[in-house]
Amino acid sequence: MSFQQLDPPLPVHVIDKGAGYAFAVIDYGQEHNLIWVTAINDTGEIWCAPNPRVRLQANWTMGRARPSAVATAAPGDCAAPVLRAEPLDKPN
């Protein structure tokens, strides 16, 4: 098992929880998903989310599009949902 603090934290979206900042990653080994330790912006909650439920937030500068909709999975389901990306608009 390894624990890695992220510096700087990464802006992410946790499916069914919302946008937040991942500030650490836990790796339990090859038989497990990475676990993202994330502070949720709206609630202040700290969640340990499995890798398939975590998405990077959009970043226009990096050319990363935002998902048009974040699909939800059944509670406890770690299967990665299918996302469609839409292009980002340039800021004014």
Side-chain angles (χ1 to χ4, degrees):
M1 192 278 282
S2 67
F3 181 92
Q4 180 68 47
Q5 181 178 353
L6 302 175
D7 186 19
L10 296 175
V12 297
H13 180 92
V14 178
I15 296 171
D16 294 332
K17 299 299 177 194
Y21 284 89
F23 58 89
V25 176
I26 302 169
D27 185 352
Y28 286 109
Q30 63 189 20
E31 297 291 328
H32 302 275
N33 287 316
L34 291 174
I35 304 296
W36 294 83
V37 184
T38 304
I40 304 301
N41 295 342
D42 290 341
T43 63
E45 296 171 316
I46 306 294
W47 283 95
C48 293
N51 198 59
R53 303 192 62 79
V54 178
R55 301 288 181 267
L56 282 175
Q57 290 183 13
N59 185 322
W60 179 81
T61 304
M62 298 298 292
R64 188 171 48 247
R66 65 177 167 262
S68 59
V70 177
T72 58
D77 182 11
C78 289
V82 177
L83 299 178
R84 292 186 323 257
E86 58 187 45
L88 291 171
D89 296 326
K90 292 183 179 181
N92 294 336

